[in-house]
Each structure stands twice: as C-alpha cells, then as structure tokens.
Amino acid sequence: MKRRVADYIKQQHLLEQDKRYLVALSGGADSVCLLLILKSLGYSVEAIHCNFHLRGGESDRDEQFCKSLCEQQQVPIHLVHFDTREFAVLHHQSIEMAARTLRYRYFSQLCHDLPADAVCVAHHRDDSVETVLMNLIRGTGLHGLTGIHPVVESQEPPLRIIRPLLCMNRSEIEQFLRENRQEYMTDSTNLSSEEAVRNKIRLEVIPLLQQINPSVKESIAQTAHWLQEAEKALGNLMPKMAGGTPSIPLSWLRQQPSPEYTLYRLVKDYGFTSSQIEQMACHLDAEPGTLFRSPTHELLFDRGALLIEPIGEPVKPMRIPEVGTYVIHNEMKMRVSLVSRSTSQTPLSTLPSVATLDAAAVRFPLTVRVTQRGDRFQPFGMKGTKLVSDYLTDHKRSLFDKRRQLVVTDATGQIVWLVNERPADSFRVTDDTKTLLCLETLS
C-alpha cells in the first residue's frame, strides 16, 4: 500500500522530499493512515489538529489521541481551538461552512509562518465517488462529475491542498491500520445517515448500487478519472479569463460544437444559474447592452463579446474644497494643484490621466461623481455640447465603462473634466491664462 501511494505521488507530481508539509490530522482512520504513510516514505511532515468544540467530550478525546500519536511518532503537532458555533452565528454561516472557513484560514497562516509548501488531507477514492454522486443528484456539469482532484490551489485564503490517498479506498486504509496495529478515533456523527447528504449516500445509496454492480465504486472512480482527462483536453480549448474584465468573443463562441456547454464552463464560477446560461446561449444575437445578473457578477452583451464584471460598491460623490490629493474610490486618487503659468514652462500634458484647465474659469468646490442621465459637456476641441453617454458610445465604451465613468464638476455644476478621457473646452487654457488648475488621477 505504501508503494501504491508512493507511485501515485510520483505519477501526479504531488510531493518533494526536500520540502515541508502539514498533515490535517483529525484522529480518524484516514488522517492517521496518511500521517503514518507519509512519514514512512521519508517526507518532512508536521501535523495540524483543529478542535472545533462541536462534539463535547469526543472533541477533547480526539485532541488527546492526536497529541499522543504525534508524540509516539516524533512528529511535531500544531493544535488550535475554535468556537465554531459562535463564529457561525456572527458570520451567518452554517456550522459546516464556519468550520471550513476557520480551518482553511489557520492552514494558510501556518503554511506562511513555518513555512510549509502545502497541507495534505486524507480524502480517499470512496470520498471522490460520493462527491460524484452528490453532484449528480444536485445537477452539475462536466467538472462536477470529475470527483475530488489530487491538488487544489485556493486563492482565498491562499493555500495549496494535496490529497495523496486518492489511490486507496476506505477498506484498504482500515486494512493498513490493522496490519500496523494502529488505533484511530471514530466520529460518531459519521455513523448516522441523518447527519448529512454524504452520509446518506455512503450508508444507503451506495449499498443499493452495489446490489446492481458490486464494483460500482471502482466503476464510478474510473469514469471520474476519464472525465478529469477530458476536462484537461477541453480546458486547453478555452480562452483565458484571468485578469481585468473577462471577455468571451461571440464569434468564437458560436463556432464551438456546443456553445451552451462552453459558456457554462466559462461563467459557472461567477454565480450564474443553469437557466440563465441556457438563456444566454439561446440569445447569442441579443442586442448590445443586454445584461444578466448573478448574486456576485454581471454579464453584458457588448459589441462582439460577452463581458463579465463583479458587482461593486457604487462610487459616492467626493467633494474637493481646495487643492490637495484625495482618495476617490478603492485605490484611485486624484491630485488637484495650482501652477503659475510662464512662457518658459514645458508644453501642457496630453496624457488622458491629466487635465490642465484655466484656474480662473473654474469655481471651487469641485465634485467628483459618476455620470448621470442627461449629463452634457463640450469636449475639448469641439464646437457645441454633447451628451456624455453619446461621447462614450462614439468611443466604443461598454455599458460597464459608462456606469463607472467619473466626471469632475465645479461649483456651478458644469463638467470640467470627463475623467481620464477629455477636459471640457469651455475651461481650456488660453493665451490669457495666468494660473493653471491641474487635475491628475493616480493609481
């Protein structure tokens, strides 16, 4: 069994001999087996045990067992206690989600402090089979049928999770422990099918399926493996969505053998439902400006592409009473300064992030705000006024761009600068200008 795990680690490129790893040790059979095998294979490991105080005396019993086991094995152990129920109430989370949040935060911090390369957890093949069935029952796409993966990279909190035991099933783990005369703790909640859907599948559904096919767990695990390989191949065909505003070219999407499934793969992690994605796929010729909204993101049909953005907090108007540097929104700052003009000065900046105006024509206080319906201004170098929305349309700005576009107005309410776009002509610098008002955005 140790050789099988060693081969699996090598095949999947999971661990390296010269790095330190943490093992999530609950005291149950799976995590005890994982700790013993990794230690016997010569990896540098330290244990982590989380006491969530959810099972009374059992929680303390498991902690004491883990301490004794690590002492026997001469493995360093890190212990942490959580008031899980209180955390769940404060953050309006389920107990299960609260426990996950607490342990992942702690794992991430400990990996950073030690440092350690990753946390090894004891999911095995039967866990992966149960996950496939759970996702199938709830409804899922290809990814949900691939089961548990050997490596997961979490971004929030930053954490690398490794699962070296996915090549073994539960009965093999128990056999390994019996052969090594190693005790382990049993969580009584895992014995009741009423505690969770996963336990129902483990204790009731899978035994029924085994009456039809005694090897059903092996069959499902093999199917999940091939679907993982298919997902890798499909993933290479997908456009990259990272960084900035994710954009999906509509012409490319229409050419896919299954535009609907391709779209599902690309946008499912942004909170859109299956029915919403079906509507999107059925209306790929929708008018520009068509918008779909999830709890966390918005998807916009723009010119030739689908754009996705997170739903952010609205920008509140900022009053600028005098010169200085002001934080406008998030990381964006605006510097406001007055400069005496002379014939020896260098030419005025033409950068879109800078507006140089005639200070005598501008009345303080200034206000920085998002555009409003009906806003008009006279773009620099043009005759007559223009709706800001029309100006942005002419410059091929999306609805997202228009909604976050900032303007600077003076005390009279006139727009003096379309921020990072163009100043207003009526406040331009002339031969008679003696003092310059400089507005500059800083990021």
Side-chain angles (χ1 to χ4, degrees), residues 58-124:
E58 272 194 15
S59 295
D60 297 331
R61 176 206 66 181
D62 292 351
E63 177 182 326
Q64 186 56 49
F65 171 80
C66 291
K67 289 168 63 177
S68 299
L69 175 64
C70 289
E71 184 178 347
Q72 294 168 7
Q73 296 294 325
Q74 297 183 325
V75 172
I77 184 170
H78 306 271
L79 302 171
V80 63
H81 289 243
F82 297 119
D83 189 340
T84 312
R85 288 192 173 88
E86 181 68 18
F87 182 90
V89 171
L90 288 174
H91 293 83
H92 307 288
Q93 294 182 352
S94 67
I95 292 293
E96 182 180 6
M97 181 57 67
R100 182 185 187 280
T101 300
L102 288 166
R103 69 174 176 269
Y104 272 44
R105 285 181 183 175
Y106 179 68
F107 290 172
S108 177
Q109 187 62 51
L110 195 56
C111 282
H112 176 269
D113 292 344
L114 284 176
D117 190 67
V119 174
C120 298
V121 297
H123 291 114
H124 49 76

Coordinates of all heavy atoms in Angstrom, one line a residue, residues 58-124:
E58 N -16.1 14.1 23.0 CA -15.4 13.5 21.8 C -14.3 14.4 21.2 O -13.3 13.9 20.8 CB -16.4 13.1 20.7 CG -17.0 11.7 20.9 CD -17.8 11.2 19.7 OE1 -17.6 11.9 18.6 OE2 -18.5 10.3 19.8
S59 N -14.6 15.6 21.2 CA -13.6 16.6 20.6 C -12.3 16.6 21.4 O -11.3 16.6 20.8 CB -14.2 18.0 20.5 OG -15.3 18.1 19.7
D60 N -12.5 16.6 22.7 CA -11.3 16.6 23.6 C -10.6 15.3 23.5 O -9.3 15.2 23.6 CB -11.7 16.9 25.0 CG -12.3 18.3 25.2 OD1 -11.9 19.2 24.4 OD2 -13.1 18.5 26.0
R61 N -11.4 14.2 23.4 CA -10.8 12.8 23.3 C -9.9 12.8 22.0 O -8.8 12.2 22.1 CB -11.9 11.8 23.2 CG -11.4 10.4 23.0 CD -12.5 9.5 22.3 NE -12.8 10.0 21.0 CZ -13.7 9.4 20.2 NH1 -14.4 8.4 20.6 NH2 -13.9 9.9 18.9
D62 N -10.4 13.3 20.9 CA -9.7 13.2 19.6 C -8.4 14.0 19.7 O -7.4 13.6 19.2 CB -10.6 13.7 18.5 CG -11.7 12.8 18.2 OD1 -11.8 11.7 18.8 OD2 -12.6 13.2 17.4
E63 N -8.5 15.2 20.4 CA -7.3 16.0 20.5 C -6.2 15.3 21.3 O -5.0 15.3 20.9 CB -7.6 17.4 21.2 CG -6.4 18.2 21.4 CD -6.8 19.5 22.2 OE1 -7.9 20.1 21.9 OE2 -5.9 20.0 23.0
Q64 N -6.6 14.7 22.4 CA -5.6 14.0 23.2 C -5.0 12.8 22.5 O -3.8 12.5 22.6 CB -6.3 13.5 24.5 CG -5.3 12.8 25.5 CD -4.2 13.8 25.9 OE1 -4.4 14.9 26.2 NE2 -2.9 13.3 25.8
F65 N -5.8 12.1 21.7 CA -5.3 11.0 20.9 C -4.3 11.5 19.9 O -3.2 10.9 19.7 CB -6.5 10.3 20.1 CG -6.0 9.3 19.1 CD1 -5.6 8.0 19.5 CD2 -5.9 9.6 17.8 CE1 -5.2 7.1 18.6 CE2 -5.4 8.7 16.8 CZ -5.1 7.4 17.2
C66 N -4.6 12.6 19.2 CA -3.6 13.2 18.2 C -2.3 13.6 18.8 O -1.2 13.3 18.3 CB -4.3 14.3 17.5 SG -5.6 13.9 16.4
K67 N -2.4 14.2 20.0 CA -1.2 14.6 20.7 C -0.3 13.3 21.1 O 0.9 13.3 20.9 CB -1.5 15.3 22.0 CG -2.1 16.7 21.7 CD -2.7 17.3 23.0 CE -1.7 17.5 24.1 NZ -2.3 18.2 25.3
S68 N -1.0 12.3 21.6 CA -0.2 11.0 21.9 C 0.4 10.4 20.7 O 1.5 9.9 20.7 CB -1.2 10.1 22.6 OG -1.7 10.6 23.8
L69 N -0.4 10.3 19.6 CA 0.1 9.7 18.4 C 1.3 10.4 17.9 O 2.3 9.8 17.5 CB -1.0 9.7 17.3 CG -0.6 9.2 15.9 CD1 -0.2 7.7 16.0 CD2 -1.7 9.4 14.9
C70 N 1.3 11.7 17.8 CA 2.4 12.5 17.3 C 3.6 12.4 18.2 O 4.8 12.4 17.8 CB 2.0 14.0 17.1 SG 0.9 14.2 15.8
E71 N 3.4 12.3 19.5 CA 4.5 12.1 20.4 C 5.2 10.7 20.2 O 6.4 10.6 20.2 CB 4.0 12.1 21.9 CG 5.1 12.0 22.9 CD 4.5 12.2 24.3 OE1 3.4 12.6 24.5 OE2 5.3 11.9 25.3
Q72 N 4.3 9.7 20.0 CA 4.9 8.4 19.7 C 5.7 8.3 18.4 O 6.7 7.7 18.3 CB 3.7 7.3 19.6 CG 3.0 7.1 20.9 CD 1.7 6.3 20.7 OE1 1.4 5.8 19.6 NE2 0.9 6.2 21.7
Q73 N 5.2 9.1 17.4 CA 5.8 9.1 16.0 C 6.9 10.1 15.9 O 7.5 10.2 14.9 CB 4.7 9.3 15.0 CG 3.7 8.2 14.9 CD 4.3 6.9 14.4 OE1 5.2 6.9 13.5 NE2 3.8 5.8 14.9
Q74 N 7.0 10.9 17.0 CA 8.0 12.0 17.0 C 7.8 13.0 15.8 O 8.7 13.4 15.0 CB 9.5 11.4 16.9 CG 9.8 10.6 18.1 CD 11.3 10.1 18.1 OE1 11.8 9.8 17.0 NE2 11.9 10.0 19.2
V75 N 6.5 13.3 15.7 CA 6.1 14.3 14.7 C 5.6 15.6 15.4 O 4.7 15.5 16.3 CB 4.9 13.7 13.8 CG1 4.3 14.8 12.9 CG2 5.4 12.5 13.0
P76 N 6.1 16.7 15.0 CA 5.6 18.0 15.6 C 4.1 18.1 15.3 O 3.6 17.8 14.2 CB 6.4 19.1 14.9 CG 7.6 18.4 14.4 CD 7.2 17.0 14.1
I77 N 3.3 18.7 16.3 CA 1.9 18.9 16.1 C 1.5 20.3 16.5 O 2.0 20.9 17.4 CB 1.1 17.9 16.9 CG1 -0.4 18.1 16.6 CG2 1.3 18.0 18.4 CD1 -1.3 17.0 17.2
H78 N 0.6 20.9 15.7 CA 0.1 22.2 16.0 C -1.4 22.1 16.3 O -2.2 21.5 15.5 CB 0.3 23.1 14.7 CG 1.7 23.1 14.2 ND1 2.6 24.1 14.6 CD2 2.3 22.3 13.3 CE1 3.8 23.9 14.0 NE2 3.6 22.8 13.2
L79 N -1.8 22.6 17.5 CA -3.1 22.5 18.0 C -3.8 23.9 18.0 O -3.2 24.9 18.3 CB -3.1 21.9 19.4 CG -2.5 20.6 19.6 CD1 -2.4 20.2 21.1 CD2 -3.3 19.5 18.9
V80 N -5.1 23.9 17.6 CA -5.8 25.1 17.6 C -7.2 24.8 18.0 O -7.8 23.8 17.7 CB -5.8 25.8 16.2 CG1 -6.5 25.0 15.1 CG2 -6.4 27.2 16.3
H81 N -7.8 25.8 18.8 CA -9.2 25.6 19.3 C -10.1 26.7 18.6 O -9.6 27.9 18.5 CB -9.2 25.8 20.8 CG -8.6 24.6 21.5 ND1 -9.4 23.8 22.4 CD2 -7.4 24.1 21.5 CE1 -8.6 22.9 22.8 NE2 -7.3 23.0 22.3
F82 N -11.3 26.3 18.2 CA -12.2 27.3 17.6 C -13.6 27.2 18.3 O -14.0 26.1 18.7 CB -12.5 27.0 16.2 CG -11.2 27.1 15.3 CD1 -10.8 25.9 14.6 CD2 -10.6 28.3 15.1 CE1 -9.6 26.0 13.8 CE2 -9.5 28.4 14.3 CZ -9.0 27.2 13.7
D83 N -14.2 28.4 18.5 CA -15.6 28.5 19.0 C -16.4 28.5 17.7 O -16.8 29.6 17.3 CB -15.8 29.7 19.9 CG -17.2 29.7 20.5 OD1 -18.0 29.0 20.0 OD2 -17.4 30.4 21.5
T84 N -16.6 27.4 17.1 CA -17.2 27.3 15.8 C -18.7 27.8 15.8 O -19.1 28.5 14.8 CB -17.2 25.8 15.3 OG1 -15.8 25.3 15.5 CG2 -17.5 25.8 13.8
R85 N -19.4 27.4 16.8 CA -20.8 27.9 16.8 C -21.0 29.4 16.9 O -21.8 30.0 16.2 CB -21.6 27.2 17.9 CG -21.8 25.7 17.7 CD -22.8 25.1 18.8 NE -23.2 23.8 18.5 CZ -22.5 22.7 18.9 NH1 -21.4 22.9 19.6 NH2 -22.8 21.5 18.5
E86 N -20.1 30.0 17.7 CA -20.2 31.5 17.8 C -19.8 32.1 16.5 O -20.4 33.1 16.1 CB -19.2 31.9 19.0 CG -19.2 33.4 19.2 CD -20.5 33.9 19.7 OE1 -21.3 33.1 20.3 OE2 -20.7 35.2 19.7
F87 N -18.7 31.6 15.9 CA -18.3 32.1 14.6 C -19.4 32.0 13.5 O -19.6 32.9 12.8 CB -17.0 31.4 14.1 CG -16.5 31.9 12.8 CD1 -15.5 32.9 12.9 CD2 -16.8 31.4 11.6 CE1 -15.0 33.4 11.7 CE2 -16.3 31.8 10.4 CZ -15.4 32.9 10.5
A88 N -20.1 30.9 13.5 CA -21.2 30.6 12.6 C -22.3 31.7 12.7 O -22.8 32.2 11.8 CB -21.7 29.2 12.7
V89 N -22.6 31.9 14.0 CA -23.7 32.9 14.3 C -23.3 34.3 13.9 O -24.0 35.0 13.2 CB -24.1 32.9 15.8 CG1 -25.0 34.0 16.1 CG2 -24.7 31.6 16.1
L90 N -22.0 34.7 14.2 CA -21.6 36.0 13.9 C -21.5 36.3 12.4 O -21.7 37.4 11.9 CB -20.2 36.3 14.5 CG -20.2 36.4 16.1 CD1 -18.7 36.5 16.6 CD2 -20.9 37.7 16.5
H91 N -21.1 35.3 11.6 CA -20.9 35.4 10.2 C -22.1 34.9 9.4 O -21.9 34.8 8.1 CB -19.6 34.8 9.8 CG -18.4 35.5 10.4 ND1 -17.9 35.2 11.7 CD2 -17.6 36.4 9.9 CE1 -16.9 36.0 11.9 NE2 -16.6 36.7 10.8
H92 N -23.1 34.5 10.0 CA -24.3 34.0 9.3 C -24.0 32.8 8.4 O -24.4 32.8 7.2 CB -25.0 35.1 8.6 CG -25.3 36.3 9.4 ND1 -26.3 36.3 10.4 CD2 -24.7 37.5 9.4 CE1 -26.3 37.5 10.9 NE2 -25.4 38.3 10.4
Q93 N -23.2 31.9 8.9 CA -22.8 30.7 8.1 C -23.3 29.4 8.8 O -23.6 29.4 10.0 CB -21.3 30.6 8.0 CG -20.6 31.7 7.2 CD -19.1 31.5 7.1 OE1 -18.5 30.7 7.8 NE2 -18.5 32.4 6.3
S94 N -23.4 28.4 8.0 CA -23.7 27.1 8.6 C -22.5 26.6 9.4 O -21.4 27.1 9.2 CB -24.0 26.1 7.5 OG -22.8 25.8 6.7
I95 N -22.8 25.6 10.3 CA -21.7 25.1 11.1 C -20.6 24.5 10.2 O -19.4 24.7 10.4 CB -22.2 24.0 12.1 CG1 -23.1 24.7 13.1 CG2 -21.1 23.3 12.7 CD1 -22.4 25.6 14.1
E96 N -21.0 23.8 9.2 CA -20.0 23.2 8.3 C -19.2 24.2 7.5 O -18.0 24.1 7.5 CB -20.8 22.3 7.2 CG -19.9 21.6 6.3 CD -20.6 20.7 5.2 OE1 -21.9 20.8 5.2 OE2 -20.0 20.0 4.5
M97 N -19.8 25.3 7.1 CA -19.1 26.3 6.4 C -18.2 27.1 7.3 O -17.0 27.4 7.0 CB -20.1 27.3 5.7 CG -19.4 28.4 4.9 SD -18.2 27.8 3.6 CE -19.4 27.0 2.5
A98 N -18.7 27.3 8.5 CA -17.9 28.0 9.5 C -16.6 27.2 9.8 O -15.5 27.8 9.9 CB -18.7 28.3 10.8
A99 N -16.7 25.9 10.0 CA -15.6 25.1 10.3 C -14.6 25.1 9.2 O -13.4 25.1 9.4 CB -16.0 23.6 10.6
R100 N -15.1 25.0 8.0 CA -14.2 25.1 6.8 C -13.5 26.4 6.7 O -12.2 26.4 6.5 CB -15.0 24.9 5.5 CG -14.2 24.8 4.2 CD -15.1 24.8 3.0 NE -14.3 24.6 1.8 CZ -13.6 25.5 1.2 NH1 -13.6 26.8 1.6 NH2 -12.9 25.3 0.1
T101 N -14.2 27.5 6.9 CA -13.5 28.8 6.9 C -12.4 28.9 7.9 O -11.3 29.4 7.6 CB -14.6 29.9 7.1 OG1 -15.6 29.8 6.1 CG2 -13.9 31.3 7.1
L102 N -12.7 28.5 9.2 CA -11.8 28.6 10.2 C -10.5 27.8 10.0 O -9.4 28.2 10.2 CB -12.4 28.2 11.6 CG -13.5 29.1 12.1 CD1 -14.3 28.5 13.2 CD2 -12.8 30.4 12.7
R103 N -10.7 26.5 9.6 CA -9.5 25.7 9.4 C -8.7 26.1 8.2 O -7.5 26.1 8.3 CB -9.9 24.2 9.3 CG -10.6 23.8 8.1 CD -10.8 22.2 8.1 NE -11.6 21.7 7.0 CZ -12.9 21.6 7.0 NH1 -13.6 21.9 8.1 NH2 -13.6 21.1 5.9
Y104 N -9.3 26.6 7.1 CA -8.6 27.0 5.9 C -7.8 28.2 6.2 O -6.6 28.4 5.8 CB -9.5 27.2 4.7 CG -9.7 25.9 3.9 CD1 -9.9 24.7 4.6 CD2 -9.6 25.9 2.6 CE1 -10.1 23.5 3.9 CE2 -9.8 24.7 1.8 CZ -10.1 23.5 2.5 OH -10.2 22.4 1.8
R105 N -8.4 29.2 7.0 CA -7.6 30.4 7.4 C -6.4 30.0 8.2 O -5.3 30.5 8.0 CB -8.5 31.3 8.1 CG -9.5 32.1 7.3 CD -10.3 33.0 8.2 NE -11.4 33.7 7.4 CZ -12.3 34.5 8.0 NH1 -12.3 34.7 9.3 NH2 -13.2 35.1 7.3
Y106 N -6.6 29.1 9.1 CA -5.5 28.7 10.0 C -4.4 27.9 9.2 O -3.2 28.2 9.4 CB -6.0 27.8 11.2 CG -4.9 27.3 12.1 CD1 -4.3 28.2 12.9 CD2 -4.6 26.0 12.1 CE1 -3.2 27.8 13.8 CE2 -3.6 25.5 13.0 CZ -2.9 26.4 13.8 OH -1.9 26.0 14.6
F107 N -4.9 27.0 8.3 CA -3.9 26.3 7.5 C -3.0 27.3 6.7 O -1.8 27.1 6.6 CB -4.6 25.4 6.5 CG -5.3 24.2 7.2 CD1 -6.1 23.3 6.4 CD2 -5.1 23.9 8.5 CE1 -6.8 22.2 7.0 CE2 -5.7 22.8 9.1 CZ -6.6 22.0 8.3
S108 N -3.7 28.2 6.1 CA -3.0 29.2 5.2 C -2.0 30.0 6.0 O -0.8 30.2 5.6 CB -4.0 30.1 4.6 OG -3.3 31.1 3.8
Q109 N -2.4 30.5 7.2 CA -1.5 31.3 8.0 C -0.3 30.4 8.5 O 0.8 30.9 8.5 CB -2.2 31.8 9.2 CG -1.4 32.8 10.1 CD -1.0 34.0 9.3 OE1 -1.8 34.7 8.6 NE2 0.3 34.4 9.3
L110 N -0.6 29.2 8.9 CA 0.5 28.3 9.4 C 1.5 28.0 8.3 O 2.7 28.0 8.5 CB -0.1 27.0 10.0 CG 0.8 26.2 10.9 CD1 1.4 27.0 12.0 CD2 0.1 25.0 11.4
C111 N 1.0 27.7 7.1 CA 1.9 27.5 5.9 C 2.8 28.7 5.7 O 4.0 28.5 5.4 CB 1.1 27.2 4.7 SG 0.4 25.5 4.6
H112 N 2.3 29.8 5.9 CA 3.0 31.1 5.7 C 4.1 31.2 6.8 O 5.2 31.6 6.5 CB 2.1 32.3 5.6 CG 2.8 33.6 5.5 ND1 3.2 34.3 6.6 CD2 3.2 34.3 4.4 CE1 3.8 35.4 6.2 NE2 3.8 35.4 4.8
D113 N 3.7 31.0 8.0 CA 4.6 31.2 9.1 C 5.7 30.3 9.3 O 6.8 30.6 9.7 CB 3.8 31.3 10.4 CG 2.8 32.4 10.5 OD1 3.0 33.4 9.7 OD2 1.9 32.4 11.3
L114 N 5.5 29.0 8.9 CA 6.5 28.0 9.2 C 7.9 28.1 8.5 O 8.9 28.1 9.1 CB 6.0 26.6 9.1 CG 5.0 26.1 10.2 CD1 4.4 24.8 9.9 CD2 5.8 26.1 11.5
P115 N 7.9 28.2 7.1 CA 6.9 28.0 6.2 C 6.7 26.5 5.8 O 7.6 25.7 6.0 CB 7.4 28.8 5.0 CG 8.8 28.6 5.1 CD 9.2 28.6 6.5
A116 N 5.5 26.2 5.2 CA 5.3 24.9 4.6 C 4.8 25.0 3.2 O 4.1 26.0 2.9 CB 4.3 24.1 5.5
D117 N 5.0 24.0 2.4 CA 4.7 24.1 1.0 C 3.2 23.8 0.7 O 2.6 24.4 -0.2 CB 5.5 23.1 0.2 CG 5.3 23.3 -1.3 OD1 5.8 24.3 -1.8 OD2 4.7 22.4 -2.0
A118 N 2.5 23.0 1.6 CA 1.1 22.6 1.3 C 0.6 21.9 2.5 O 1.3 21.5 3.4 CB 1.0 21.8 0.1
V119 N -0.7 21.7 2.5 CA -1.4 20.9 3.5 C -1.9 19.6 2.9 O -2.6 19.7 1.8 CB -2.6 21.7 4.1 CG1 -3.4 20.8 5.1 CG2 -2.1 22.9 4.9
C120 N -1.6 18.5 3.4 CA -2.0 17.2 2.9 C -3.3 16.8 3.7 O -3.3 16.8 4.9 CB -0.9 16.1 3.1 SG 0.6 16.5 2.2
V121 N -4.3 16.4 3.0 CA -5.6 16.0 3.6 C -5.9 14.6 3.1 O -5.3 14.1 2.1 CB -6.7 16.9 3.3 CG1 -6.5 18.3 3.8 CG2 -7.0 17.0 1.8
A122 N -6.7 13.8 3.9 CA -6.8 12.4 3.7 C -8.0 11.9 2.9 O -8.5 10.8 3.1 CB -6.8 11.7 5.1
H123 N -8.5 12.7 1.9 CA -9.6 12.2 1.1 C -9.1 11.0 0.3 O -8.0 11.0 -0.2 CB -10.0 13.3 0.1 CG -10.7 14.5 0.8 ND1 -10.2 15.7 0.8 CD2 -11.9 14.5 1.4 CE1 -11.0 16.5 1.4 NE2 -12.0 15.8 1.8
H124 N -10.0 10.0 0.2 CA -9.6 8.8 -0.5 C -10.6 8.6 -1.6 O -11.5 9.4 -1.9 CB -9.6 7.6 0.5 CG -10.8 7.5 1.3 ND1 -12.0 7.0 0.9 CD2 -11.0 7.8 2.6 CE1 -12.9 7.1 1.9 NE2 -12.3 7.5 2.9

